Amino acid sequence: MFANLKDDTSIEEILKNHDLKSLLYQFSVKQLAEENIIFLDEYHQIKNFIETKDEDLQNDLRIKLNGLFSNFIEDSSQYALNIPDATKTDALKRWKEQTTKETPLSAIFSILDETYKHVRDLLKTSSILPFAQELKQATKNAIKVVIIGAGFCGTLVARLLDKYKAFQVVLIDRKPVFESTPYSIMAMVDPDLQEKILLPLDNLLKNGVFIQGHVTKLRSNSVDVNGTNIPFDYLVLGMGSSYKSGIKAQNWSVNYRKKNYLESFEKIKEAKKILIVGGGTGMSMFTT
Ligand SMILES: Cc1cc2nc3c(=O)[nH]c(=O)nc-3n(C[C@H](O)[C@H](O)[C@H](O)COP(=O)(O)OP(=O)(O)OC[C@H]3O[C@@H](n4cnc5c(N)ncnc54)[C@H](O)[C@@H]3O)c2cc1C
């Protein structure tokens, strides 16, 4: 664990490695500088697309850069970065003067690049190393919590425990996404909702891990998933319920689930008459 972290490991290398990135996030929480890492991580993720010729992607990047600017740099922004006034004033000035719809993407990136470099240089890998050692020791003694099911119950418990070093969380679900069941009925009449109600689980936890797989066996102190035995100190069962109809996903593939939604949408679109029995959840389908 963290064996590949050396004095000269760059922040970019850390951001590319899942374990090291998670370490960096935990370090930032301790330093009360979480916003710095969120900014570095988000900027680093989109930086690689700077040369893209794809117009849709370019538009998405403009929106994303705009979001980074308003969330991290603008006055009274939600996650204002702790950067010197001069760097901030310069970024604000350039942003006001140089960002129009016609401004090339590379020019917009260059405004935030200065801020990125500044925030990155505040972090010294050498200062993270002692923290990594400390964490390694703490993880050895951490309470292992396995959570089966990443629905409302499982994800809530996982996110709450994940914040504490005292717990090592393993969240397991056969689906790679969290699906908001109450909205599923609306997604059958509005296919655009699909993307909003199927949320990837890989990045949900910062310290713990998500495993996609079907738990096939429970023992008093371990579970079996994907042919592997995972031990626990505590087990949370959040497997929910199932329905005879397809209202909850029966299949584990996201593409198949999306196909299900589209098929229901087509059937509903073609129907001449629809009878909704029950004015509770049924009404949400009617009003969508
Ligand atoms: C149409 C509809 C509308 C609703 N509206 C509301 C509402 O407005 N308000 C409200 O409070 N409730 C509503 N509900 C109920 C609500 O959706 C459920 O109470 C809630 O989803 C239960 O959450 P859960 O985490 O317990 O289980 P689930 O959301 O069912 O999640 C269980 C998870 O466990 C996983 N799983 C199961 N077995 C295994 C296994 N062996 N290995 C790995 N993974 C496994 C499943 O893949 C699933 O992701 C609605 C339900 C429906 C169907």
Side-chain angles (χ1 to χ4, degrees), residues 148-153 173-175 181-182 213-215 238-241 243 247-248 281:
I148 311 177
F152 284 103
C153 164
D173 201 296
R174 50 196 178 201
K175 292 185 291 169
T181 309
H214 182 70
V215 174
M239 285 105 79
S241 54
Y243 296 70
I247 201 88
K248 279 195 183 178
T281 300

Side-chain angles (χ1 to χ4, degrees), residues 1 42 47 65 68 88 93 97 106 129 139 150 170 179-180 207 242 248 283:
M1 199 186 184
E42 299 218 340
K47 208 166 84 158
L65 285 165
L68 285 182
K88 188 172 171 172
K93 191 164 165 275
E97 290 170 0
S106 55
L129 277 166
T139 314
V170 179
E179 181 168 6
S180 178
N207 307 315
S242 55
K248 279 195 183 178
M283 275 309 280

Side-chain angles (χ1 to χ4, degrees), residues 72-203:
F72 293 95
I73 299 175
E74 235 171 26
D75 284 331
S76 70
S77 48
Q78 196 179 2
Y79 303 108
L81 293 171
N82 196 2
I83 48 175
D85 284 347
T87 313
K88 188 172 171 172
T89 314
D90 181 54
L92 281 167
K93 191 164 165 275
R94 288 180 64 198
W95 191 269
K96 264 194 200 141
E97 290 170 0
Q98 297 173 20
T99 47
T100 65
K101 274 188 185 159
E102 287 72 41
T103 313
L105 203 55
S106 55
I108 308 183
F109 265 103
S110 81
I111 301 176
L112 286 181
D113 218 39
E114 283 305 306
T115 312
Y116 172 81
K117 283 182 191 149
H118 184 87
V119 177
R120 182 196 59 192
D121 294 345
L122 287 176
L123 277 164
K124 297 272 169 288
T125 308
S126 55
S127 60
I128 307 171
L129 277 166
F131 178 74
Q133 286 306 328
E134 215 180 275
L135 193 67
K136 214 167 152 182
Q137 198 54 39
T139 314
K140 253 192 212 162
N141 307 325
I143 299 166
K144 293 184 184 61
V145 182
V146 166
I147 302 169
I148 311 177
F152 284 103
C153 164
T155 53
L156 176 71
V157 178
R159 286 173 59 208
L160 285 174
L161 298 184
D162 189 49
K163 291 182 190 155
Y164 302 99
K165 266 194 277 177
F167 298 105
Q168 195 187 332
V169 176
V170 179
L171 176 65
I172 309 172
D173 201 296
R174 50 196 178 201
K175 292 185 291 169
V177 290
F178 163 84
E179 181 168 6
S180 178
T181 309
Y183 281 91
S184 59
I185 200 159
M186 294 178 230
M188 289 176 185
V189 284
D190 178 1
D192 288 346
L193 274 179
Q194 285 181 18
E195 298 299 332
K196 295 186 184 136
I197 69 165
L198 297 167
L199 307 170
L201 288 162
D202 350 357
N203 289 326

Side-chain angles (χ1 to χ4, degrees), residues 13-75:
E13 284 171 289
I14 294 180
L15 289 172
K16 275 188 222 152
N17 176 298
H18 183 272
D19 285 344
L20 294 183
K21 189 160 99 173
S22 155
L23 169 76
L24 191 60
Y25 266 98
Q26 292 178 68
F27 178 71
S28 72
V29 172
K30 195 179 173 203
Q31 302 288 310
L32 299 178
E34 208 178 356
E35 63 282 355
N36 286 7
I37 309 300
I38 302 174
F39 173 77
L40 288 180
D41 190 13
E42 299 218 340
Y43 185 75
H44 183 254
Q45 282 178 34
I46 59 174
K47 208 166 84 158
N48 296 332
F49 300 104
I50 193 165
E51 303 291 348
T52 182
K53 300 277 176 277
D54 180 323
E55 281 189 16
D56 287 342
L57 184 55
Q58 284 189 357
N59 286 337
D60 283 353
L61 288 172
R62 280 175 195 275
I63 295 169
K64 187 91 186 161
L65 285 165
N66 212 21
L68 285 182
F69 190 80
S70 58
N71 282 331
F72 293 95
I73 299 175
E74 235 171 26
D75 284 331

Side-chain angles (χ1 to χ4, degrees), residues 191-246:
D192 288 346
L193 274 179
Q194 285 181 18
E195 298 299 332
K196 295 186 184 136
I197 69 165
L198 297 167
L199 307 170
L201 288 162
D202 350 357
N203 289 326
L204 181 79
L205 304 180
K206 293 209 169 102
N207 307 315
V209 287
F210 168 68
I211 298 177
Q212 186 188 353
H214 182 70
V215 174
T216 48
K217 192 160 193 149
L218 297 182
R219 292 188 201 82
S220 58
N221 57 0
S222 70
V223 298
D224 283 357
V225 62
N226 302 340
T228 310
N229 180 253
I230 302 188
F232 59 78
D233 296 312
Y234 288 91
L235 176 68
V236 178
L237 298 176
M239 285 105 79
S241 54
S242 55
Y243 296 70
K244 277 192 180 159
S245 73

